[in-house]
Every structure is written in structure tokens, then in C-alpha cells.
């Protein structure tokens, strides 16, 4: 299912791990996959000016650089 690897800083990884465990995900990878899929769906269905706002928000949350 997961063919690529991304690097996360330690704090972001710890937060993802904590949320993944609390929500019952089987792994951090599964949680991150789910979060990114949801974020991409929002971007896909948003007008172009909204895409930039969403990308800025994801950057601010530490999901992307």
C-alpha cells in the first residue's frame, strides 16, 4: 500500500502517532494516508483561490513543506 517514504520532524511524527493511536488506526502510515486523502479531496473540489488557502493551512499545520 505504501511505496514512498516521506520525512516528518519528530514533533509532527509524535503528534501523528498519538492521533493514530487514539483514533484506532493500525499505524501512523495509515493515519497519515487518511489525513492526506481527505486534504487532497478538499483541494480537488475547491476553487483555485481556495486551494492556496488550504495548502497554506496544511503547511502551517506541518503536513507539507
Amino acid at each position: 500500500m505504501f511505496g514512498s517514504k516521506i520525512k516528518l520532524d519528530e514533533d509532527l511524527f509524535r503528534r501523528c502517532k498519538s492521533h493514530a493511536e487514539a483514533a484506532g488506526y493500525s499505524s501512523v502510515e495509515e493515519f497519515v494516508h487518511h489525513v492526506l486523502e481527505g486534504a487532497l479531496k478538499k483541494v480537488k473540489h475547491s476553487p483555485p483561490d481556495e486551494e492556496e488557502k488550504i495548502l497554506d493551512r496544511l503547511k502551517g499545520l506541518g503536513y507539507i513543506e
Side-chain angles (χ1 to χ4, degrees):
M1 177 181 205
F2 304 105
S4 299
K5 293 186 179 187
I6 59 170
K7 292 186 179 193
L8 303 174
D9 64 53
E10 288 184 39
D11 181 56
L12 179 57
F13 181 81
R14 272 189 254 116
R15 290 186 306 170
C16 287
K17 184 176 180 181
S18 175
H19 286 288
E21 290 172 353
Y25 287 90
S26 63
S27 66
V28 175
E29 291 83 0
E30 181 185 18
F31 171 75
V32 171
H33 182 264
H34 182 250
V35 169
L36 289 175
E37 283 288 336
L40 290 172
K41 284 180 184 176
K42 289 180 183 177
V43 170
K44 184 178 180 181
H45 297 293
S46 300
D49 59 326
E50 287 294 313
E51 288 183 29
E52 188 170 331
K53 290 179 186 176
I54 293 170
L55 289 173
D56 288 342
R57 179 150 167 77
L58 290 172
K59 287 177 185 176
L61 293 170
Y63 290 119
I64 60 176
E65 292 184 354

